[in-house]
PDB file of all heavy atoms in Angstrom:
ATOM      1  N   ALA A 466      33.363 -20.939 -66.674  1.00  0.00           N
ATOM      2  CA  ALA A 466      34.128 -20.923 -65.354  1.00  0.00           C
ATOM      3  C   ALA A 466      33.915 -19.582 -64.548  1.00  0.00           C
ATOM      4  O   ALA A 466      34.282 -19.574 -63.393  1.00  0.00           O
ATOM      5  CB  ALA A 466      35.608 -21.273 -65.454  1.00  0.00           C
ATOM      6  N   GLY A 467      33.303 -18.618 -65.262  1.00  0.00           N
ATOM      7  CA  GLY A 467      33.223 -17.287 -64.541  1.00  0.00           C
ATOM      8  C   GLY A 467      34.547 -16.453 -64.588  1.00  0.00           C
ATOM      9  O   GLY A 467      34.727 -15.620 -63.875  1.00  0.00           O
ATOM     10  N   ASN A 468      35.533 -16.901 -65.304  1.00  0.00           N
ATOM     11  CA  ASN A 468      36.895 -16.163 -65.370  1.00  0.00           C
ATOM     12  C   ASN A 468      36.765 -15.042 -66.196  1.00  0.00           C
ATOM     13  O   ASN A 468      35.956 -14.825 -67.126  1.00  0.00           O
ATOM     14  CB  ASN A 468      37.932 -17.219 -65.936  1.00  0.00           C
ATOM     15  CG  ASN A 468      38.143 -18.270 -64.838  1.00  0.00           C
ATOM     16  OD1 ASN A 468      38.063 -18.138 -63.652  1.00  0.00           O
ATOM     17  ND2 ASN A 468      38.556 -19.399 -65.492  1.00  0.00           N
ATOM     18  N   PRO A 469      37.587 -13.879 -65.939  1.00  0.00           N
ATOM     19  CA  PRO A 469      37.466 -12.644 -66.709  1.00  0.00           C
ATOM     20  C   PRO A 469      37.874 -12.898 -68.123  1.00  0.00           C
ATOM     21  O   PRO A 469      38.703 -13.713 -68.501  1.00  0.00           O
ATOM     22  CB  PRO A 469      38.503 -11.735 -66.047  1.00  0.00           C
ATOM     23  CG  PRO A 469      39.400 -12.726 -65.245  1.00  0.00           C
ATOM     24  CD  PRO A 469      38.562 -13.922 -64.830  1.00  0.00           C
ATOM     25  N   ILE A 470      37.310 -12.167 -69.063  1.00  0.00           N
ATOM     26  CA  ILE A 470      37.618 -12.188 -70.482  1.00  0.00           C
ATOM     27  C   ILE A 470      38.336 -10.940 -70.762  1.00  0.00           C
ATOM     28  O   ILE A 470      37.885  -9.903 -70.557  1.00  0.00           O
ATOM     29  CB  ILE A 470      36.370 -12.266 -71.292  1.00  0.00           C
ATOM     30  CG1 ILE A 470      35.320 -13.395 -70.950  1.00  0.00           C
ATOM     31  CG2 ILE A 470      36.680 -12.273 -72.847  1.00  0.00           C
ATOM     32  CD1 ILE A 470      35.983 -14.770 -71.312  1.00  0.00           C
ATOM     33  N   PRO A 471      39.556 -11.179 -71.260  1.00  0.00           N
ATOM     34  CA  PRO A 471      40.480  -9.899 -71.567  1.00  0.00           C
ATOM     35  C   PRO A 471      39.709  -8.979 -72.622  1.00  0.00           C
ATOM     36  O   PRO A 471      38.932  -9.606 -73.521  1.00  0.00           O
ATOM     37  CB  PRO A 471      41.792 -10.565 -72.091  1.00  0.00           C
ATOM     38  CG  PRO A 471      41.794 -11.885 -71.547  1.00  0.00           C
ATOM     39  CD  PRO A 471      40.279 -12.324 -71.458  1.00  0.00           C
ATOM     40  N   GLU A 472      39.981  -7.722 -72.544  1.00  0.00           N
ATOM     41  CA  GLU A 472      39.288  -6.783 -73.439  1.00  0.00           C
ATOM     42  C   GLU A 472      39.470  -7.140 -74.949  1.00  0.00           C
ATOM     43  O   GLU A 472      38.507  -7.114 -75.617  1.00  0.00           O
ATOM     44  CB  GLU A 472      39.894  -5.399 -73.225  1.00  0.00           C
ATOM     45  CG  GLU A 472      39.228  -4.353 -73.845  1.00  0.00           C
ATOM     46  CD  GLU A 472      39.551  -4.166 -75.321  1.00  0.00           C
ATOM     47  OE1 GLU A 472      40.638  -4.463 -75.807  1.00  0.00           O
ATOM     48  OE2 GLU A 472      38.546  -3.683 -76.071  1.00  0.00           O
ATOM     49  N   PRO A 473      40.563  -7.676 -75.418  1.00  0.00           N
ATOM     50  CA  PRO A 473      40.588  -8.029 -76.915  1.00  0.00           C
ATOM     51  C   PRO A 473      39.629  -9.089 -77.224  1.00  0.00           C
ATOM     52  O   PRO A 473      39.346  -9.156 -78.524  1.00  0.00           O
ATOM     53  CB  PRO A 473      42.116  -8.539 -77.096  1.00  0.00           C
ATOM     54  CG  PRO A 473      42.947  -7.874 -75.898  1.00  0.00           C
ATOM     55  CD  PRO A 473      41.962  -7.773 -74.746  1.00  0.00           C
ATOM     56  N   PHE A 474      39.025  -9.934 -76.289  1.00  0.00           N
ATOM     57  CA  PHE A 474      38.246 -11.059 -76.710  1.00  0.00           C
ATOM     58  C   PHE A 474      36.723 -10.743 -76.236  1.00  0.00           C
ATOM     59  O   PHE A 474      35.967 -11.729 -76.379  1.00  0.00           O
ATOM     60  CB  PHE A 474      38.725 -12.314 -76.023  1.00  0.00           C
ATOM     61  CG  PHE A 474      40.235 -12.728 -76.488  1.00  0.00           C
ATOM     62  CD1 PHE A 474      41.187 -12.639 -75.522  1.00  0.00           C
ATOM     63  CD2 PHE A 474      40.480 -12.989 -77.753  1.00  0.00           C
ATOM     64  CE1 PHE A 474      42.426 -12.975 -75.863  1.00  0.00           C
ATOM     65  CE2 PHE A 474      41.669 -13.431 -78.174  1.00  0.00           C
ATOM     66  CZ  PHE A 474      42.756 -13.317 -77.171  1.00  0.00           C
ATOM     67  N   ARG A 475      36.565  -9.634 -75.703  1.00  0.00           N
ATOM     68  CA  ARG A 475      35.172  -9.335 -75.145  1.00  0.00           C
ATOM     69  C   ARG A 475      34.108  -9.240 -76.191  1.00  0.00           C
ATOM     70  O   ARG A 475      33.022  -9.848 -76.033  1.00  0.00           O
ATOM     71  CB  ARG A 475      35.221  -8.053 -74.276  1.00  0.00           C
ATOM     72  CG  ARG A 475      35.837  -8.248 -72.996  1.00  0.00           C
ATOM     73  CD  ARG A 475      35.984  -6.953 -72.222  1.00  0.00           C
ATOM     74  NE  ARG A 475      36.856  -7.232 -70.918  1.00  0.00           N
ATOM     75  CZ  ARG A 475      37.349  -6.268 -70.362  1.00  0.00           C
ATOM     76  NH1 ARG A 475      37.213  -4.995 -70.762  1.00  0.00           N
ATOM     77  NH2 ARG A 475      38.195  -6.461 -69.276  1.00  0.00           N
ATOM     78  N   ALA A 476      34.433  -8.690 -77.276  1.00  0.00           N
ATOM     79  CA  ALA A 476      33.408  -8.619 -78.435  1.00  0.00           C
ATOM     80  C   ALA A 476      33.083  -9.944 -78.953  1.00  0.00           C
ATOM     81  O   ALA A 476      31.918 -10.262 -79.188  1.00  0.00           O
ATOM     82  CB  ALA A 476      33.936  -7.755 -79.572  1.00  0.00           C
ATOM     83  N   ARG A 477      34.102 -10.762 -79.089  1.00  0.00           N
ATOM     84  CA  ARG A 477      33.853 -12.208 -79.596  1.00  0.00           C
ATOM     85  C   ARG A 477      33.103 -12.901 -78.570  1.00  0.00           C
ATOM     86  O   ARG A 477      32.207 -13.780 -78.846  1.00  0.00           O
ATOM     87  CB  ARG A 477      35.078 -12.805 -79.927  1.00  0.00           C
ATOM     88  CG  ARG A 477      34.984 -14.132 -80.640  1.00  0.00           C
ATOM     89  CD  ARG A 477      36.236 -14.634 -81.399  1.00  0.00           C
ATOM     90  NE  ARG A 477      35.945 -15.780 -82.227  1.00  0.00           N
ATOM     91  CZ  ARG A 477      35.483 -15.672 -83.415  1.00  0.00           C
ATOM     92  NH1 ARG A 477      35.298 -14.581 -84.057  1.00  0.00           N
ATOM     93  NH2 ARG A 477      35.201 -16.806 -84.167  1.00  0.00           N
ATOM     94  N   ALA A 478      33.410 -12.780 -77.291  1.00  0.00           N
ATOM     95  CA  ALA A 478      32.788 -13.444 -76.195  1.00  0.00           C
ATOM     96  C   ALA A 478      31.237 -12.990 -76.176  1.00  0.00           C
ATOM     97  O   ALA A 478      30.309 -13.860 -75.997  1.00  0.00           O
ATOM     98  CB  ALA A 478      33.234 -13.174 -74.781  1.00  0.00           C
ATOM     99  N   GLU A 479      30.933 -11.832 -76.396  1.00  0.00           N
ATOM    100  CA  GLU A 479      29.539 -11.276 -76.340  1.00  0.00           C
ATOM    101  C   GLU A 479      28.853 -11.879 -77.653  1.00  0.00           C
ATOM    102  O   GLU A 479      27.701 -12.384 -77.606  1.00  0.00           O
ATOM    103  CB  GLU A 479      29.625  -9.744 -76.446  1.00  0.00           C
ATOM    104  CG  GLU A 479      29.832  -9.147 -75.155  1.00  0.00           C
ATOM    105  CD  GLU A 479      28.891  -9.628 -74.083  1.00  0.00           C
ATOM    106  OE1 GLU A 479      27.745  -9.637 -74.195  1.00  0.00           O
ATOM    107  OE2 GLU A 479      29.399  -9.773 -72.963  1.00  0.00           O
ATOM    108  N   ALA A 480      29.569 -11.963 -78.823  1.00  0.00           N
ATOM    109  CA  ALA A 480      28.903 -12.576 -79.880  1.00  0.00           C
ATOM    110  C   ALA A 480      28.532 -14.039 -79.835  1.00  0.00           C
ATOM    111  O   ALA A 480      27.572 -14.480 -80.277  1.00  0.00           O
ATOM    112  CB  ALA A 480      29.813 -12.321 -81.197  1.00  0.00           C
ATOM    113  N   ARG A 481      29.490 -14.748 -79.140  1.00  0.00           N
ATOM    114  CA  ARG A 481      29.179 -16.158 -78.852  1.00  0.00           C
ATOM    115  C   ARG A 481      28.031 -16.307 -77.787  1.00  0.00           C
ATOM    116  O   ARG A 481      27.259 -17.203 -77.943  1.00  0.00           O
ATOM    117  CB  ARG A 481      30.498 -16.790 -78.307  1.00  0.00           C
ATOM    118  CG  ARG A 481      31.680 -16.832 -79.386  1.00  0.00           C
ATOM    119  CD  ARG A 481      32.774 -17.622 -78.973  1.00  0.00           C
ATOM    120  NE  ARG A 481      32.518 -19.138 -78.819  1.00  0.00           N
ATOM    121  CZ  ARG A 481      32.386 -19.944 -79.933  1.00  0.00           C
ATOM    122  NH1 ARG A 481      32.429 -19.388 -81.095  1.00  0.00           N
ATOM    123  NH2 ARG A 481      32.131 -21.300 -79.719  1.00  0.00           N
ATOM    124  N   LYS A 482      27.850 -15.422 -76.787  1.00  0.00           N
ATOM    125  CA  LYS A 482      26.828 -15.389 -75.968  1.00  0.00           C
ATOM    126  C   LYS A 482      25.536 -15.276 -76.723  1.00  0.00           C
ATOM    127  O   LYS A 482      24.477 -15.975 -76.418  1.00  0.00           O
ATOM    128  CB  LYS A 482      26.860 -14.270 -74.886  1.00  0.00           C
ATOM    129  CG  LYS A 482      27.773 -14.678 -73.641  1.00  0.00           C
ATOM    130  CD  LYS A 482      27.764 -13.556 -72.726  1.00  0.00           C
ATOM    131  CE  LYS A 482      28.705 -13.696 -71.576  1.00  0.00           C
ATOM    132  NZ  LYS A 482      28.773 -12.616 -70.767  1.00  0.00           N
ATOM    133  N   THR A 483      25.488 -14.256 -77.609  1.00  0.00           N
ATOM    134  CA  THR A 483      24.295 -13.997 -78.442  1.00  0.00           C
ATOM    135  C   THR A 483      23.825 -15.169 -79.279  1.00  0.00           C
ATOM    136  O   THR A 483      22.594 -15.319 -79.401  1.00  0.00           O
ATOM    137  CB  THR A 483      24.560 -12.784 -79.445  1.00  0.00           C
ATOM    138  OG1 THR A 483      25.033 -11.743 -78.622  1.00  0.00           O
ATOM    139  CG2 THR A 483      23.352 -12.375 -80.156  1.00  0.00           C
ATOM    140  N   LEU A 484      24.759 -15.963 -79.674  1.00  0.00           N
ATOM    141  CA  LEU A 484      24.347 -17.178 -80.470  1.00  0.00           C
ATOM    142  C   LEU A 484      23.562 -18.170 -79.701  1.00  0.00           C
ATOM    143  O   LEU A 484      22.790 -18.897 -80.380  1.00  0.00           O
ATOM    144  CB  LEU A 484      25.723 -17.864 -81.095  1.00  0.00           C
ATOM    145  CG  LEU A 484      26.415 -17.165 -82.132  1.00  0.00           C
ATOM    146  CD1 LEU A 484      27.690 -17.889 -82.440  1.00  0.00           C
ATOM    147  CD2 LEU A 484      25.564 -17.023 -83.346  1.00  0.00           C
ATOM    148  N   GLY A 485      23.784 -18.224 -78.393  1.00  0.00           N
ATOM    149  CA  GLY A 485      22.943 -19.090 -77.544  1.00  0.00           C
ATOM    150  C   GLY A 485      23.149 -20.599 -78.018  1.00  0.00           C
ATOM    151  O   GLY A 485      24.330 -21.034 -78.145  1.00  0.00           O
ATOM    152  N   ASP A 486      22.012 -21.341 -78.188  1.00  0.00           N
ATOM    153  CA  ASP A 486      22.056 -22.616 -78.546  1.00  0.00           C
ATOM    154  C   ASP A 486      22.661 -22.947 -80.052  1.00  0.00           C
ATOM    155  O   ASP A 486      23.077 -24.039 -80.298  1.00  0.00           O
ATOM    156  CB  ASP A 486      20.650 -23.356 -78.555  1.00  0.00           C
ATOM    157  CG  ASP A 486      20.117 -23.317 -77.106  1.00  0.00           C
ATOM    158  OD1 ASP A 486      20.983 -23.233 -76.112  1.00  0.00           O
ATOM    159  OD2 ASP A 486      18.932 -23.346 -76.938  1.00  0.00           O
ATOM    160  N   GLN A 487      22.683 -21.925 -80.752  1.00  0.00           N
ATOM    161  CA  GLN A 487      23.401 -21.995 -82.125  1.00  0.00           C
ATOM    162  C   GLN A 487      24.825 -22.105 -82.111  1.00  0.00           C
ATOM    163  O   GLN A 487      25.504 -22.368 -83.076  1.00  0.00           O
ATOM    164  CB  GLN A 487      22.898 -20.850 -82.969  1.00  0.00           C
ATOM    165  CG  GLN A 487      21.334 -20.764 -83.253  1.00  0.00           C
ATOM    166  CD  GLN A 487      21.081 -19.616 -84.023  1.00  0.00           C
ATOM    167  OE1 GLN A 487      21.808 -18.987 -84.704  1.00  0.00           O
ATOM    168  NE2 GLN A 487      19.696 -19.266 -83.997  1.00  0.00           N
ATOM    169  N   ARG A 488      25.418 -21.855 -80.862  1.00  0.00           N
ATOM    170  CA  ARG A 488      26.912 -21.758 -80.863  1.00  0.00           C
ATOM    171  C   ARG A 488      27.438 -23.105 -80.991  1.00  0.00           C
ATOM    172  O   ARG A 488      28.718 -23.257 -81.436  1.00  0.00           O
ATOM    173  CB  ARG A 488      27.250 -21.243 -79.407  1.00  0.00           C
ATOM    174  CG  ARG A 488      28.659 -20.896 -79.250  1.00  0.00           C
ATOM    175  CD  ARG A 488      28.952 -20.198 -77.956  1.00  0.00           C
ATOM    176  NE  ARG A 488      28.753 -21.161 -76.802  1.00  0.00           N
ATOM    177  CZ  ARG A 488      28.653 -20.834 -75.668  1.00  0.00           C
ATOM    178  NH1 ARG A 488      28.541 -19.611 -75.124  1.00  0.00           N
ATOM    179  NH2 ARG A 488      28.469 -21.926 -74.702  1.00  0.00           N
ATOM    180  N   LYS A 489      26.762 -24.200 -80.802  1.00  0.00           N
ATOM    181  CA  LYS A 489      27.275 -25.588 -80.998  1.00  0.00           C
ATOM    182  C   LYS A 489      28.644 -25.882 -80.298  1.00  0.00           C
ATOM    183  O   LYS A 489      29.763 -25.897 -80.977  1.00  0.00           O
ATOM    184  CB  LYS A 489      27.542 -25.847 -82.519  1.00  0.00           C
ATOM    185  CG  LYS A 489      26.161 -25.846 -83.150  1.00  0.00           C
ATOM    186  CD  LYS A 489      26.243 -26.216 -84.810  1.00  0.00           C
ATOM    187  CE  LYS A 489      25.000 -26.166 -85.482  1.00  0.00           C
ATOM    188  NZ  LYS A 489      25.144 -26.471 -86.818  1.00  0.00           N
ATOM    189  N   PRO A 490      28.614 -25.669 -79.008  1.00  0.00           N
ATOM    190  CA  PRO A 490      29.886 -25.982 -78.269  1.00  0.00           C
ATOM    191  C   PRO A 490      30.525 -27.423 -78.646  1.00  0.00           C
ATOM    192  O   PRO A 490      29.923 -28.236 -79.030  1.00  0.00           O
ATOM    193  CB  PRO A 490      29.483 -25.940 -76.793  1.00  0.00           C
ATOM    194  CG  PRO A 490      27.982 -26.292 -76.742  1.00  0.00           C
ATOM    195  CD  PRO A 490      27.431 -25.659 -78.061  1.00  0.00           C
ATOM    196  N   LEU A 491      31.791 -27.415 -78.394  1.00  0.00           N
ATOM    197  CA  LEU A 491      32.526 -28.727 -78.710  1.00  0.00           C
ATOM    198  C   LEU A 491      31.963 -29.846 -77.812  1.00  0.00           C
ATOM    199  O   LEU A 491      31.599 -29.526 -76.542  1.00  0.00           O
ATOM    200  CB  LEU A 491      33.982 -28.469 -78.540  1.00  0.00           C
ATOM    201  CG  LEU A 491      34.534 -27.325 -79.543  1.00  0.00           C
ATOM    202  CD1 LEU A 491      36.099 -27.210 -79.148  1.00  0.00           C
ATOM    203  CD2 LEU A 491      34.491 -28.088 -81.019  1.00  0.00           C
ATOM    204  N   PRO A 492      32.184 -31.084 -78.057  1.00  0.00           N
ATOM    205  CA  PRO A 492      31.974 -32.203 -77.097  1.00  0.00           C
ATOM    206  C   PRO A 492      32.885 -31.959 -75.789  1.00  0.00           C
ATOM    207  O   PRO A 492      33.917 -31.395 -75.937  1.00  0.00           O
ATOM    208  CB  PRO A 492      32.306 -33.448 -77.860  1.00  0.00           C
ATOM    209  CG  PRO A 492      32.188 -32.986 -79.294  1.00  0.00           C
ATOM    210  CD  PRO A 492      32.556 -31.465 -79.503  1.00  0.00           C
ATOM    211  N   VAL A 493      32.291 -32.355 -74.631  1.00  0.00           N
ATOM    212  CA  VAL A 493      32.981 -32.093 -73.527  1.00  0.00           C
ATOM    213  C   VAL A 493      34.488 -32.598 -73.360  1.00  0.00           C
ATOM    214  O   VAL A 493      35.265 -31.972 -72.954  1.00  0.00           O
ATOM    215  CB  VAL A 493      32.202 -32.694 -72.356  1.00  0.00           C
ATOM    216  CG1 VAL A 493      32.866 -32.519 -71.021  1.00  0.00           C
ATOM    217  CG2 VAL A 493      30.726 -32.018 -72.123  1.00  0.00           C
ATOM    218  N   ALA A 494      34.611 -33.821 -73.997  1.00  0.00           N
ATOM    219  CA  ALA A 494      35.897 -34.429 -73.912  1.00  0.00           C
ATOM    220  C   ALA A 494      36.935 -33.480 -74.711  1.00  0.00           C
ATOM    221  O   ALA A 494      38.162 -33.436 -74.452  1.00  0.00           O
ATOM    222  CB  ALA A 494      35.932 -35.718 -74.638  1.00  0.00           C
ATOM    223  N   ILE A 495      36.556 -32.870 -75.853  1.00  0.00           N
ATOM    224  CA  ILE A 495      37.444 -31.959 -76.509  1.00  0.00           C
ATOM    225  C   ILE A 495      37.499 -30.587 -75.835  1.00  0.00           C
ATOM    226  O   ILE A 495      38.740 -30.163 -75.747  1.00  0.00           O
ATOM    227  CB  ILE A 495      36.828 -31.672 -78.026  1.00  0.00           C
ATOM    228  CG1 ILE A 495      36.788 -33.064 -78.770  1.00  0.00           C
ATOM    229  CG2 ILE A 495      37.682 -30.742 -78.622  1.00  0.00           C
ATOM    230  CD1 ILE A 495      36.184 -33.003 -80.227  1.00  0.00           C
ATOM    231  N   GLN A 496      36.450 -30.135 -75.378  1.00  0.00           N
ATOM    232  CA  GLN A 496      36.490 -28.862 -74.641  1.00  0.00           C
ATOM    233  C   GLN A 496      37.515 -28.815 -73.404  1.00  0.00           C
ATOM    234  O   GLN A 496      38.070 -27.865 -73.097  1.00  0.00           O
ATOM    235  CB  GLN A 496      35.129 -28.517 -74.173  1.00  0.00           C
ATOM    236  CG  GLN A 496      34.905 -27.005 -73.786  1.00  0.00           C
ATOM    237  CD  GLN A 496      34.688 -26.172 -75.095  1.00  0.00           C
ATOM    238  OE1 GLN A 496      34.180 -26.393 -75.832  1.00  0.00           O
ATOM    239  NE2 GLN A 496      35.452 -24.963 -74.925  1.00  0.00           N
TER     240      GLN A 496
END
Side-chain angles (χ1 to χ4, degrees):
N468 292 329
I470 304 294
E472 192 279 331
F474 302 112
R475 285 174 190 163
R477 190 161 186 89
E479 288 302 318
R481 293 185 69 74
K482 278 184 185 178
T483 304
L484 288 173
D486 293 338
Q487 298 178 15
R488 192 175 65 196
K489 296 182 180 179
L491 296 171
V493 173
I495 297 177
Q496 197 75 39

